[in-house]
Amino acid sequence: MTDQFRLGGDLTIDRLGFGAMRLPQAGQARGPESGRAVLRRAVELGVHHIDTADFYRSENGAVRANTLIREALFPYPEALVIATKVGPVFGPGGPGQGTAADLRPQVEANLESLGVDHLDLVYLRIGTVEPPRGESLAERFEVLAALREEGLIRHLGISNVDAGHLAEARTIAPVAAVQNNFHLAHRDETAVLDACTQAGIAFVPFFPLGGGRADIDDPGLVKVAERHGATVHQIALAWLLALSPVTLAIPGTGSVAHLEENLTARSISLTQEDLADLA
């Protein structure tokens, strides 16, 4: 059974949460009501941590993750922690990197779309999928630190970063969480995970199941899944939680059945033999 984590030292959440990115992108077969049903079921099953962003929306902009969250769950349960992220900007050419001046409007957009007066956790997302090495995040993170001082943000995080970015951010303000691309088939940035473990900072892999960009079904994973009578995705999630006491997992889906399957990973305890097969 997975344990809990105290995010930022004061927000207690289950280590297996839910990522909302797929809800507005679930395709024409699933409408907004399906997304709301998934969110309600997640909370019924004890999910305390939902990861979202104001820019998570359908291609035509008609369905938005934050709107679904507000419609499904507001007024929010006291124990629910909603994390969001800012930084990217979107234009005709696709996503790009925003400037420091873009951040306050993005934070305000999240406040409005979620219907809250402060945000539990806000990540500064830099780059695209891989960390932009050598790029300073100081000017942008200072803006979020100021918004935290204003009371608009409770805790700060950073996303898509390397160990240098984490060290830089921590000289400006406390960092409660780091969100990086990390899963069984993509184990880069272990230095970031190690730094988070030592400091008690949450390490939250995005694409914990590969995000459709990577095949995680290696022979070792299949072997362990068969041993436990589980799916490879359940074992992949259990592996993330076994890596460190600071790792959190936020798998996303637009299906209630898939949600329930993912959350079953809570009950899987990997043995040393399992971990050796997955090493």
Side-chain angles (χ1 to χ4, degrees), residues 3 34-35 37 77 104 120 163 223 227 230 245 252 258 261 279:
D3 57 8
S34 176
R104 177 181 284 271
D120 295 322
K223 180 180 179 181
R227 184 181 296 148
H258 192 197
E261 177 184 300

PDB file of all heavy atoms in Angstrom, residues 3 34-35 37 77 104 120 163 223 227 230 245 252 258 261 279:
ATOM      1  N   ASP A   3       2.156   4.961   0.653  1.00  0.00           N
ATOM      2  CA  ASP A   3       1.970   5.837   1.790  1.00  0.00           C
ATOM      3  C   ASP A   3       1.636   7.253   1.318  1.00  0.00           C
ATOM      4  O   ASP A   3       1.289   7.468   0.161  1.00  0.00           O
ATOM      5  CB  ASP A   3       3.210   5.815   2.686  1.00  0.00           C
ATOM      6  CG  ASP A   3       4.477   6.195   1.925  1.00  0.00           C
ATOM      7  OD1 ASP A   3       4.380   6.610   0.753  1.00  0.00           O
ATOM      8  OD2 ASP A   3       5.573   6.090   2.510  1.00  0.00           O
ATOM      9  N   SER A  34     -17.851  12.850 -19.489  1.00  0.00           N
ATOM     10  CA  SER A  34     -16.951  11.741 -19.199  1.00  0.00           C
ATOM     11  C   SER A  34     -15.783  12.214 -18.348  1.00  0.00           C
ATOM     12  O   SER A  34     -15.385  11.549 -17.380  1.00  0.00           O
ATOM     13  CB  SER A  34     -16.437  11.113 -20.493  1.00  0.00           C
ATOM     14  OG  SER A  34     -15.489  10.100 -20.234  1.00  0.00           O
ATOM     15  N   GLY A  35     -15.229  13.366 -18.691  1.00  0.00           N
ATOM     16  CA  GLY A  35     -14.127  13.922 -17.908  1.00  0.00           C
ATOM     17  C   GLY A  35     -14.547  14.245 -16.491  1.00  0.00           C
ATOM     18  O   GLY A  35     -13.814  13.969 -15.527  1.00  0.00           O
ATOM     19  N   ALA A  37     -16.905  12.778 -14.846  1.00  0.00           N
ATOM     20  CA  ALA A  37     -17.116  11.504 -14.165  1.00  0.00           C
ATOM     21  C   ALA A  37     -15.787  10.918 -13.678  1.00  0.00           C
ATOM     22  O   ALA A  37     -15.710  10.367 -12.570  1.00  0.00           O
ATOM     23  CB  ALA A  37     -17.823  10.517 -15.091  1.00  0.00           C
ATOM     24  N   PRO A  77     -13.111  19.471  -1.992  1.00  0.00           N
ATOM     25  CA  PRO A  77     -12.877  18.831  -0.694  1.00  0.00           C
ATOM     26  C   PRO A  77     -11.663  19.461  -0.007  1.00  0.00           C
ATOM     27  O   PRO A  77     -10.689  19.840  -0.659  1.00  0.00           O
ATOM     28  CB  PRO A  77     -12.596  17.368  -1.070  1.00  0.00           C
ATOM     29  CG  PRO A  77     -13.218  17.189  -2.422  1.00  0.00           C
ATOM     30  CD  PRO A  77     -13.087  18.509  -3.112  1.00  0.00           C
ATOM     31  N   ARG A 104       2.291  36.415 -14.361  1.00  0.00           N
ATOM     32  CA  ARG A 104       1.157  36.860 -13.539  1.00  0.00           C
ATOM     33  C   ARG A 104      -0.172  36.655 -14.259  1.00  0.00           C
ATOM     34  O   ARG A 104      -1.108  36.104 -13.649  1.00  0.00           O
ATOM     35  CB  ARG A 104       1.320  38.327 -13.122  1.00  0.00           C
ATOM     36  CG  ARG A 104       0.107  38.849 -12.328  1.00  0.00           C
ATOM     37  CD  ARG A 104       0.237  40.305 -11.935  1.00  0.00           C
ATOM     38  NE  ARG A 104       1.151  40.490 -10.831  1.00  0.00           N
ATOM     39  CZ  ARG A 104       0.790  40.455  -9.551  1.00  0.00           C
ATOM     40  NH1 ARG A 104      -0.479  40.221  -9.219  1.00  0.00           N
ATOM     41  NH2 ARG A 104       1.670  40.656  -8.602  1.00  0.00           N
ATOM     42  N   ASP A 120      -2.685  25.977  -4.757  1.00  0.00           N
ATOM     43  CA  ASP A 120      -1.918  25.147  -3.821  1.00  0.00           C
ATOM     44  C   ASP A 120      -0.464  24.996  -4.246  1.00  0.00           C
ATOM     45  O   ASP A 120       0.447  25.078  -3.423  1.00  0.00           O
ATOM     46  CB  ASP A 120      -2.547  23.752  -3.720  1.00  0.00           C
ATOM     47  CG  ASP A 120      -3.938  23.776  -3.119  1.00  0.00           C
ATOM     48  OD1 ASP A 120      -4.175  24.568  -2.184  1.00  0.00           O
ATOM     49  OD2 ASP A 120      -4.798  22.996  -3.592  1.00  0.00           O
ATOM     50  N   ALA A 163      19.563  19.514 -12.476  1.00  0.00           N
ATOM     51  CA  ALA A 163      19.985  19.773 -11.105  1.00  0.00           C
ATOM     52  C   ALA A 163      20.438  21.211 -10.918  1.00  0.00           C
ATOM     53  O   ALA A 163      20.253  21.793  -9.842  1.00  0.00           O
ATOM     54  CB  ALA A 163      21.100  18.799 -10.715  1.00  0.00           C
ATOM     55  N   LYS A 223       7.724  -9.530 -17.002  1.00  0.00           N
ATOM     56  CA  LYS A 223       7.983 -10.613 -16.057  1.00  0.00           C
ATOM     57  C   LYS A 223       7.428 -10.287 -14.676  1.00  0.00           C
ATOM     58  O   LYS A 223       6.762 -11.115 -14.037  1.00  0.00           O
ATOM     59  CB  LYS A 223       9.495 -10.866 -15.979  1.00  0.00           C
ATOM     60  CG  LYS A 223       9.911 -11.976 -15.032  1.00  0.00           C
ATOM     61  CD  LYS A 223      11.428 -12.126 -15.062  1.00  0.00           C
ATOM     62  CE  LYS A 223      11.904 -13.211 -14.113  1.00  0.00           C
ATOM     63  NZ  LYS A 223      13.394 -13.335 -14.140  1.00  0.00           N
ATOM     64  N   ARG A 227       4.234 -11.944 -12.529  1.00  0.00           N
ATOM     65  CA  ARG A 227       4.446 -12.453 -11.170  1.00  0.00           C
ATOM     66  C   ARG A 227       3.377 -11.948 -10.210  1.00  0.00           C
ATOM     67  O   ARG A 227       2.954 -12.663  -9.299  1.00  0.00           O
ATOM     68  CB  ARG A 227       5.844 -12.032 -10.703  1.00  0.00           C
ATOM     69  CG  ARG A 227       6.267 -12.569  -9.343  1.00  0.00           C
ATOM     70  CD  ARG A 227       7.649 -12.052  -8.992  1.00  0.00           C
ATOM     71  NE  ARG A 227       8.660 -12.540  -9.933  1.00  0.00           N
ATOM     72  CZ  ARG A 227       9.744 -11.865 -10.291  1.00  0.00           C
ATOM     73  NH1 ARG A 227       9.953 -10.651  -9.818  1.00  0.00           N
ATOM     74  NH2 ARG A 227      10.610 -12.397 -11.134  1.00  0.00           N
ATOM     75  N   ALA A 230      -0.628  -8.531 -12.478  1.00  0.00           N
ATOM     76  CA  ALA A 230      -0.955  -7.113 -12.669  1.00  0.00           C
ATOM     77  C   ALA A 230      -0.672  -6.715 -14.108  1.00  0.00           C
ATOM     78  O   ALA A 230      -0.091  -7.472 -14.891  1.00  0.00           O
ATOM     79  CB  ALA A 230      -0.122  -6.253 -11.714  1.00  0.00           C
ATOM     80  N   PRO A 245      10.994   7.775  -1.303  1.00  0.00           N
ATOM     81  CA  PRO A 245       9.820   8.226  -0.552  1.00  0.00           C
ATOM     82  C   PRO A 245       9.273   9.566  -1.025  1.00  0.00           C
ATOM     83  O   PRO A 245       8.167   9.941  -0.621  1.00  0.00           O
ATOM     84  CB  PRO A 245      10.338   8.312   0.894  1.00  0.00           C
ATOM     85  CG  PRO A 245      11.818   8.426   0.779  1.00  0.00           C
ATOM     86  CD  PRO A 245      12.193   7.646  -0.446  1.00  0.00           C
ATOM     87  N   GLY A 252      -2.640   9.921 -16.020  1.00  0.00           N
ATOM     88  CA  GLY A 252      -3.874  10.534 -16.499  1.00  0.00           C
ATOM     89  C   GLY A 252      -4.630   9.617 -17.436  1.00  0.00           C
ATOM     90  O   GLY A 252      -4.043   8.742 -18.077  1.00  0.00           O
ATOM     91  N   HIS A 258      -9.967   2.812 -16.717  1.00  0.00           N
ATOM     92  CA  HIS A 258      -8.507   2.938 -16.725  1.00  0.00           C
ATOM     93  C   HIS A 258      -8.032   3.617 -15.437  1.00  0.00           C
ATOM     94  O   HIS A 258      -6.995   3.254 -14.864  1.00  0.00           O
ATOM     95  CB  HIS A 258      -8.055   3.724 -17.953  1.00  0.00           C
ATOM     96  CG  HIS A 258      -6.585   3.674 -18.199  1.00  0.00           C
ATOM     97  ND1 HIS A 258      -5.932   4.565 -19.016  1.00  0.00           N
ATOM     98  CD2 HIS A 258      -5.625   2.840 -17.728  1.00  0.00           C
ATOM     99  CE1 HIS A 258      -4.641   4.287 -19.039  1.00  0.00           C
ATOM    100  NE2 HIS A 258      -4.421   3.248 -18.265  1.00  0.00           N
ATOM    101  N   GLU A 261      -8.030   1.060 -12.755  1.00  0.00           N
ATOM    102  CA  GLU A 261      -6.909   0.139 -12.963  1.00  0.00           C
ATOM    103  C   GLU A 261      -5.603   0.760 -12.479  1.00  0.00           C
ATOM    104  O   GLU A 261      -4.810   0.118 -11.787  1.00  0.00           O
ATOM    105  CB  GLU A 261      -6.805  -0.208 -14.448  1.00  0.00           C
ATOM    106  CG  GLU A 261      -5.636  -1.105 -14.810  1.00  0.00           C
ATOM    107  CD  GLU A 261      -5.532  -1.333 -16.297  1.00  0.00           C
ATOM    108  OE1 GLU A 261      -6.492  -1.870 -16.881  1.00  0.00           O
ATOM    109  OE2 GLU A 261      -4.500  -0.950 -16.889  1.00  0.00           O
ATOM    110  N   ALA A 279      15.684  -3.161 -12.801  1.00  0.00           N
ATOM    111  CA  ALA A 279      16.840  -2.269 -12.690  1.00  0.00           C
ATOM    112  C   ALA A 279      17.394  -1.897 -14.052  1.00  0.00           C
ATOM    113  O   ALA A 279      17.356  -2.684 -14.985  1.00  0.00           O
ATOM    114  CB  ALA A 279      17.931  -2.939 -11.849  1.00  0.00           C
TER     115      ALA A 279
END
